[in-house]
Amino acid sequence: FRKTIDQKKPCKHFSFYFHDILYDGDNVANATSAAIVSPPGLGNFKFGKFVIFDGPITMDKNYLSKPVARAQGFYFYDMKMDFNSWFSYTLVFNSTEHKGTLNIMGADLMMEPTRDLSVVGGTGDFFMARGIATFVTDLFQGAKYFRVKMDIKLYECY
Amino acid sequence: FRKTIDQKKPCKHFSFYFHDILYDGDNVANATSAAIVSPPGLGNFKFGKFVIFDGPITMDKNYLSKPVARAQGFYFYDMKMDFNSWFSYTLVFNSTEHKGTLNIMGADLMMEPTRDLSVVGGTGDFFMARGIATFVTDLFQGAKYFRVKMDIKLYECY
């Protein structure tokens, strides 16, 4: 059946920042992610580098601010000629305001100013939710740290 | 738009056990899963250990009982300070009773008594299905064996 959804009117909308601090062997206390393989050498843009993360989600740009959620999952780099990556992860909300998760996957087309991934499901407060997660790179410090602005727009809410 | 789903009335409901026996180099006959990398050393809770599995789904707690389905996919550990993991897998049904698959992903918040993942899609008898998969740890024997009770509740059936 064909239902229509007004893209400009999500039933829920969040906007916050995801922080990733890559483990470098010495920064156990601060690190939020770690590469589990070294890239196989296809091109010069980390093709195949696979990173698992459990990073904070904050309302402002400071990674030390109190997190409103956590993002748990993985990303890997997947392009020969430029930086490009792919994500699959869960937003875990565990606060008085929200309790539940959102499951997200898709291509992070890093050379695009904004790029959309799919919210493929939700649990708890976000039971059976679906929608779009829009990524915007906010800060990228090579292999050390990056910050992505995530706009989560749910179009199916129950 | 808002359609309503009665969380207490799934259109289909399964409850069964998933068994995981990790390959340790000597147990080829019994093993149902294998780690493909060793953890990179971020914390002491196997952060980054990535395991691929093809395990039996049984109606009772005995991993030797005749399986009603198989679970094929991967999980990895993703927390520095405690055991926590993330799953993405397919339930493969190939019996007179059910023929088809269910695709599932989400955070396995292991310190929670129960935790929900998303059934993001289905095929065959489960064409276009969506729902929730609730995990309850039944038995956890360190790196050797674990058993998880999986409650699958479909809320979209066609």
Side-chain angles (χ1 to χ4, degrees), chain B residues 100-120:
Chain B
T101 69
L102 287 170
N103 291 308
I104 298 168
M105 67 184 255
D108 177 13
L109 305 173
M110 291 167 67
M111 56 286 208
E112 300 285 341
T114 77
R115 49 273 184 195
D116 288 353
L117 290 77
S118 294
V119 178
V120 299

Side-chain angles (χ1 to χ4, degrees), chain A residues 1 3-5 23 28-37 50 52-54 72-74 88-90 92 101 103-105 120-123 127-130 155-158, chain B residues 1-7 37-38 40-43 47-50 74 76-80 84-86 105-107 109 112 116-120 130-132 155-156 158:
Chain A
F1 64 95
K3 53 191 175 186
T4 57
I5 293 177
Y23 176 53
V28 171
N30 285 335
T32 66
S33 68
I36 62 168
V37 288
F50 191 107
I52 287 174
F53 61 83
D54 173 14
Q72 299 177 343
F74 66 91
S88 191
Y89 67 102
T90 300
V92 180
T101 69
N103 290 307
I104 298 170
M105 61 187 268
V120 293
T123 71
F127 173 65
M128 294 294 280
R130 285 201 326 136
Y155 293 98
E156 277 188 36
C157 304
Y158 294 90
Chain B
F1 72 95
R2 272 203 178 291
K3 57 178 180 185
T4 58
I5 293 182
D6 182 345
Q7 196 161 338
V37 291
S38 28
L42 179 56
F47 189 108
K49 182 174 182 176
F50 190 105
F74 63 86
F76 51 76
Y77 292 92
D78 63 3
M79 206 174 251
K80 266 194 303 197
N84 197 70
S85 60
W86 195 91
M105 67 184 255
L109 305 173
E112 300 285 341
D116 288 353
L117 290 77
S118 294
V119 178
V120 299
R130 283 203 327 127
I132 299 292
Y155 292 99
E156 280 184 34
Y158 294 89

